[in-house]
Amino acid sequence: MPDPTLPQSRTQSRPAAATSAAAGPALRALEVSKTYGAVKALQPTSLELAPGEVHALVGENGSGKSTFVGIVSGTVAPDGGTVEIGGDAPRSHSPWESQRRGALTVFQDGSVIPELSVGQNLYLGTPPAGRPAYREVNGWARRRLDEFGLGRMSPKLAAGKLSAADRQLLEIARAMMARPQVLLLDEATSALDAAGVDVALGLMRKAAADGSAVLFVTHRLSEVFRVADRISVLRDGQYRGTHDPAATDQAGLVELMAGRSVTVEFPAVAEQIGEVILDARGLQGDGYGPLDLRLRRGEILGIAGADGNGQLQLLGDLAAIGEPGGELGVDGRPIKTFGQAWDAGVAYLSSDRRGESLFQTLPIRENLVAGVLGRIAQGGVITKAREDRQVGESIDRYGIKLGSPEEPMTSLSGGNQQKVALGKVLETEPRVLLCDEPTQGVDVRSRLEIYRMLRDGAEAGLAVAIVSSDAAELAGLCDRVIVLSRGQIVAEMEAERSSEESIVHAFTGHAHEAREPGADAATAAPTAAASTPAAVPTRRGPSLGARCRDFLGRHEDLARLSLLALILVLLGAYTQDRSSTFLTPAGVYNVLLLALPLAAVAAAQFVVMFVGGIDLSVAGTMGVTVVLLSFWVQSGSTAVALILALLIGVGVGVLVGIGNSTLIERLRISPVIATIATLGILQGVGLTLRPTAEGVIDLGLTELLTKQVWVFPLPLLVIGVLFVAADWLMRSTGAGLRLRAVGLNSDFAYRLGVNAPRLRRRSYVACAALAGIAGVILAGQVGVGDSTVGNQYLLLAVAAPVLGGASLLGGRGTFVGCGLGSVLLALGLTLPTTLNLGEGWNYILTGGLTLIALTVYTQGVWTTVSLRSRGFVRRLSSIRLRSA
């Protein structure tokens, strides 16, 4: 059981901690546990945190730390035990319940959504009681950022453009803004340099001084002793006690974590370094250069510097990921592209295990062989025996601890995931290895194993370059260290001259010299001074093409809508040139009338596509609605007929939507499979009710739904107004932001307290209800009960939103874009008849326009992706996939 007594020697300066006994624990976890299959991730564990204390939770990778944080934060449902926050037990294990009770979390792999702005991320992650009106988000975010010393971040800046360090600081500040009772920090300093760590530890102290209980999970034990009031240890999923920092030291703590003595030492440096393999001359890129750099066989080169001084960009450009300026060569052969660098044996390992280094959706086995499929294949075929042998050798060679190779990557601890990522690259037998933060989020023992992997590779002739925020790591591991400040090499040290102090002094000294006299101390925080590189005089400004891409990236929806409008105008002009009667009021009306039901069902599909889903049953919902109207809406006043028709359409849709949401969200069936099954049922119901087309639908309803106002059908004008209003709501309200966040990254939105499952369920119901309304519109045009009439909209309902800029992955697009896409498809469907072409051209034009839209979408996203991500995508494209 935990010791609830706080060491007085470390809490006398904290009034909140001194009164903790009277206030009661801020967090009480009693006998919480979690098992994944045969793996006991966390055995029954109890822990208490007092208000005003910083409580460190340490242990090796796989010891259960992140599982414990997940249980308290509500993202992991425990198998047993209870959690009380401020004496109050959440009613359910969910992030929004934990946040409502007062627990805010900074997660190990982050929760910042890159596509949203800094201000939107802050707003999204703040509990409802602390949020302003959404229209005030930028001003509110500016004030809060200033309050936490992060005023250099613009609230309007896309969060994806922040450095990894600034994203972590943003997450810490976001969690603190709510002044939580419990602040959970899971590896919150892993991507920070020394200056950033100072800021982060200062924020933790501030949170504790304000009365929060801070749970700090980290592998950096030096930080533990700088800030912690108490230290609790987990080992192999078991609680091993709580300790006073004054009563132990780092060596003792490592022994408690490992269960045995662990000698922390680096492998010996290289005795002999070979010839130059990679040669960069006048290399320059985003935020650095021009500079010269040579990397030799058998050498481990460290690249140091305060965050944001160009070292990460330099590392990527050594692999030609960012298409840098200057000259880059491998073995004397010029390198211009990433593909050429990869073919020459240059491998790049990103620090982003989740997003770039590993295939999270594939099992461990698939990850281990992904880069060597060509080598282990015979005649394009890989036998199970050869694959098993390769996987077994990799597991043994790199000391990967796992249950089964068939388990998902997420079943591994962070250290073992990193060993898989590094081993996967080493198995490709590169000549140059470029590593970004090779030991980020890794425990002491795994660090030593990774150091040995890198040194063994160097001794075998590999040239290695690493970027690390840990200066002690660079000093102990590397044969040579270069230090960057403001994009230039300001120091170069051989192994015998490098030390943590000399490396830090090299880049902090230059950063301090760069500070202007009289700079305000509050705004000249170490990270701001050290990590904001000045412009390099020799660098030219962005090209016209780069400025255009940046503009299109920031106004993507406007660009797409403008492109759609231009295509419509060009197609219309071409058709008019071939047929002089096309642009008459009657001709335009007929095209728009054809687009009317498509626009309605496209909007229905867009609702669910926006949150990352898909509903292929909308065509069946339309068909059943038409059939039911042919029975129940045959005569009567127009108003009554319209109301009854809408009630039937919405009623059918709600029932279908509830069924789909249950299958998808409750039973976890794939959306495609679930909605195809629903489509089949609906088509069967329709044919059972109306085997043939019969039953006349009320003529007054037909006249109303086809009424012409100039060249427009009246319902299309109504829909157009509703589309504009819906787009405004989606872009100008917190509810719209939450929907977009779910589509962009459902997991991160869930962590930030958005009830993503509920929003997806509601989206499926809304989609089907709108499809029912689309069925009413279609019924007004066909006038009879034809159960097959909706089938033609099965693919068109997906094509129209895609043409309008929607993504199949979610989070993008507009309702107005759905409308324009529908008109474009309707125009394409009428062209063959107008131009006397064959009927097959209907399908050709529809498919062609959809492919064009997908291509434009892909290129639009491409311009907003970071240079490093682009290189990773290119790298993936160079891997030969296993033949079926």
Side-chain angles (χ1 to χ4, degrees):
M1 292 294 292
D3 179 6
T5 305
L6 290 176
Q8 294 299 312
S9 61
R10 295 184 63 82
T11 59
Q12 290 174 350
S13 63
R14 298 186 184 171
T19 61
S20 61
L27 171 67
R28 178 186 284 122
L30 300 175
E31 299 296 310
V32 294
S33 62
K34 183 65 179 178
T35 299
Y36 295 99
V39 179
K40 294 182 178 179
L42 185 67
Q43 300 186 46
T45 297
S46 298
L47 197 65
E48 290 185 2
L49 271 67
E53 75 162 318
V54 178
H55 193 121
L57 183 63
V58 299
E60 293 188 305
N61 288 120
S63 62
K65 304 183 303 298
S66 293
T67 301
F68 181 84
V69 170
I71 289 172
V72 176
S73 68
T75 58
V76 174
D79 296 330
T82 60
V83 175
E84 296 179 3
I85 301 169
D88 192 7
R91 291 176 297 180
S92 63
H93 287 283
S94 63
W96 49 91
E97 268 295 309
S98 293
Q99 290 180 19
R100 192 166 68 88
R101 305 292 176 179
L104 272 292
T105 308
V106 176
F107 292 92
Q108 180 176 359
D109 52 354
S111 55
V112 169
I113 299 177
E115 295 86 351
L116 300 181
S117 70
V118 169
Q120 288 171 329
N121 272 282
L122 290 179
Y123 181 92
L124 195 65
T126 300
R131 295 173 185 160
Y134 185 73
R135 62 179 178 276
E136 301 171 0
V137 62
N138 288 326
W140 166 80
R142 166 59 63 202
R143 294 189 297 271
R144 302 314 301 271
L145 289 168
D146 288 341
E147 179 182 344
F148 287 91
L150 301 177
R152 66 184 182 279
M153 300 182 191
S154 169
K156 297 181 180 180
L157 180 69
K161 294 185 178 180
L162 295 176
S163 67
D166 276 346
R167 285 198 298 271
Q168 282 204 324
L169 291 175
L170 177 66
E171 292 216 52
I172 296 173
R174 184 265 306 166
M176 288 180 59
M177 286 177 184
R179 301 192 181 278
Q181 292 194 65
V182 179
L183 178 61
L184 307 168
L185 303 167
D186 190 3
E187 296 290 350
T189 61
S190 59
L192 301 179
D193 59 14
V197 168
D198 290 340
V199 174
L201 298 186
L203 290 173
M204 293 181 207
R205 296 188 189 99
K206 181 180 186 302
D210 290 340
S212 296
V214 180
L215 182 67
F216 180 33
V217 177
T218 184
H219 291 298
R220 293 179 171 180
L221 300 186
S222 60
E223 298 170 9
V224 169
F225 286 93
R226 288 175 61 184
V227 75
D229 297 300
R230 292 190 295 165
I231 305 172
S232 291
V233 179
L234 292 176
R235 185 171 74 245
D236 298 328
Q238 289 185 313
Y239 171 74
R240 302 290 181 171
T242 297
H243 306 271
D244 182 348
T248 187
D249 58 15
Q250 288 197 38
L253 196 56
V254 170
E255 188 170 347
L256 288 169
M257 293 161 53
R260 61 180 176 83
S261 177
V262 177
T263 302
V264 181
E265 60 180 24
F266 292 95
V269 297
E271 296 181 1
Q272 185 174 1
I273 295 175
E275 71 280 3
V276 172
I277 296 180
L278 187 148
D279 189 4
R281 298 176 184 270
L283 198 70
Q284 58 181 0
D286 185 19
Y288 77 91
L291 52 80
D292 297 336
L293 184 65
R294 291 165 183 79
L295 190 57
R296 294 174 172 82
R297 182 174 61 82
E299 174 185 37
I300 299 181
L301 170 71
I303 304 176
D307 179 67
N309 278 269
Q311 60 268 36
L312 182 57
Q313 291 82 0
L314 170 62
L315 188 75
D317 285 352
L318 289 174
I321 290 176
E323 300 177 359
E327 298 178 5
L328 182 65
V330 175
D331 293 330
R333 186 174 66 185
I335 298 297
K336 296 295 184 182
T337 67
F338 178 82
Q340 292 175 349
W342 176 259
D343 292 339
V346 180
Y348 178 86
L349 181 64
S350 167
S351 62
D352 183 2
R353 291 192 295 265
R354 181 185 180 94
E356 297 184 9
S357 297
L358 295 170
F359 303 96
Q360 291 290 330
T361 58
L362 298 181
I364 300 166
R365 171 178 54 82
E366 298 278 1
N367 276 273
L368 286 171
V369 300
V372 294
L373 296 176
R375 193 177 74 207
I376 65 176
Q378 287 185 328
V381 177
I382 300 174
T383 65
K384 188 176 187 304
R386 292 176 66 87
E387 184 179 59
D388 288 345
R389 184 166 57 252
Q390 173 67 34
V391 170
E393 290 174 355
S394 295
I395 290 172
D396 293 339
R397 185 178 298 119
Y398 304 119
I400 302 166
K401 297 178 178 62
L402 73 167
S404 166
E406 304 305 321
E407 294 177 348
M409 283 304 309
T410 52
S411 67
L412 294 181
S413 65
N416 283 297
Q417 287 193 35
Q418 185 66 9
K419 284 189 276 188
V420 171
L422 181 56
K424 178 165 67 75
V425 173
L426 290 174
E427 284 299 308
T428 65
E429 300 177 354
R431 304 202 62 224
V432 178
L433 176 61
L434 308 172
C435 291
D436 174 23
E437 300 287 355
T439 61
Q440 181 172 293
V442 170
D443 64 57
V444 174
R445 201 155 39 165
S446 295
R447 276 177 177 244
L448 299 181
E449 293 172 348
I450 289 172
Y451 295 155
R452 172 47 55 193
M453 291 169 68
L454 293 173
R455 179 53 67 184
D456 288 347
E459 289 177 354
L462 182 64
V464 182
I466 66 173
V467 167
S468 175
S469 57
D470 188 339
E473 177 174 88
L474 295 175
L477 176 65
C478 299
D479 303 297
R480 180 167 56 107
V481 178
I482 61 171
V483 180
L484 265 64
S485 180
R486 303 155 72 81
Q488 298 292 319
I489 297 176
V490 296
E492 184 170 345
M493 309 172 192
E494 300 298 327
E496 60 272 12
R497 292 194 303 109
S498 66
S499 66
E500 181 179 8
E501 293 76 14
S502 63
I503 292 171
V504 173
H505 176 74
F507 64 73
T508 57
H510 281 79
H512 292 158
E513 291 169 10
R515 189 182 300 171
E516 295 183 5
D520 184 88
T523 59
T527 44
S531 65
T532 306
V536 180
T538 56
R539 295 279 291 156
R540 294 180 298 174
S543 65
L544 177 61
R547 289 196 297 269
C548 290
R549 288 193 298 270
D550 180 65
F551 176 83
L552 293 176
R554 288 184 288 108
H555 301 86
E556 191 172 347
D557 287 335
L558 176 61
R560 292 189 184 287
L561 295 179
S562 300
L563 179 60
L564 272 177
L566 177 61
I567 293 174
L568 280 170
V569 170
L570 293 177
L571 274 178
Y574 173 79
T575 309
Q576 175 65 19
D577 182 63
R578 294 301 185 92
S579 175
S580 60
T581 62
F582 178 72
L583 289 183
T584 62
V588 174
Y589 168 78
N590 287 330
V591 172
L592 296 180
L593 188 64
L594 182 62
L596 175 55
L598 176 54
V601 74
Q605 189 69 260
F606 174 65
V607 167
V608 78
M609 287 177 64
F610 197 70
V611 296
I614 194 167
D615 184 354
L616 299 179
S617 68
V618 291
T621 303
M622 293 175 71
V624 169
T625 299
V626 171
V627 168
L628 291 178
L629 294 188
S630 72
F631 283 106
W632 295 336
V633 186
Q634 294 184 337
S635 62
S637 70
T638 302
V640 172
L642 178 61
I643 294 173
L644 181 57
L646 290 175
L647 288 175
I648 292 172
V650 171
V652 170
V654 168
L655 291 175
V656 172
I658 291 174
N660 282 337
S661 67
T662 301
L663 292 172
I664 295 165
E665 294 298 326
R666 301 287 189 187
L667 302 182
R668 305 294 183 187
I669 299 175
S670 164
V672 173
I673 295 173
T675 56
I676 284 179
T678 305
L679 172 64
I681 294 171
L682 291 170
Q683 288 176 332
V685 170
L687 287 171
T688 300
L689 294 174
R690 291 289 192 193
T692 59
E694 56 183 323
V696 178
I697 298 171
D698 183 74
L699 294 178
L701 182 64
T702 299
E703 291 177 0
L704 177 63
L705 295 177
T706 57
K707 183 177 177 60
Q708 183 174 352
V709 179
W710 190 39
V711 298
F712 299 99
L714 176 61
L716 188 61
L717 291 176
V718 175
I719 287 177
V721 172
L722 293 176
F723 280 3
V724 172
D727 281 336
W728 181 85
L729 290 172
M730 295 284 277
R731 301 292 172 176
S732 305
T733 64
L737 176 65
R738 288 187 286 276
L739 285 169
R740 187 181 179 199
V742 171
L744 291 171
N745 194 316
S746 181
D747 290 341
F748 283 8
Y750 182 77
R751 291 177 177 182
L752 292 172
V754 178
N755 194 335
R758 183 174 65 188
L759 286 179
R760 286 195 297 266
R761 289 195 299 270
R762 291 179 175 178
S763 295
Y764 276 103
V765 174
C767 170
L770 289 173
I773 294 174
V776 173
I777 295 173
L778 182 60
Q781 293 188 8
V782 298
V784 296
D786 184 354
S787 64
T788 65
V789 73
N791 293 348
Q792 61 183 313
Y793 296 97
L794 175 61
L795 297 180
L796 293 176
V798 177
V802 170
L803 277 171
S807 166
L808 296 176
L809 300 177
R812 295 180 175 86
T814 61
F815 283 100
V816 171
C818 290
L820 288 176
S822 300
V823 174
L824 183 57
L825 286 175
L827 179 58
L829 291 173
T830 61
L831 283 180
T833 301
T834 305
L835 301 178
N836 295 319
L837 301 175
E839 184 178 349
W841 279 95
N842 287 335
Y843 300 100
I844 294 173
L845 288 173
T846 300
L849 288 171
T850 305
L851 285 176
I852 291 171
L854 287 171
T855 302
V856 171
Y857 167 75
T858 302
Q859 294 301 317
V861 171
W862 191 264
T863 62
T864 63
V865 174
S866 67
L867 296 178
R868 187 172 62 181
S869 297
R870 281 194 284 169
F872 178 67
V873 171
R874 292 177 186 174
R875 175 181 170 185
L876 294 187
S877 67
S878 69
I879 295 177
R880 285 176 288 177
L881 300 179
R882 175 170 19 192
S883 67

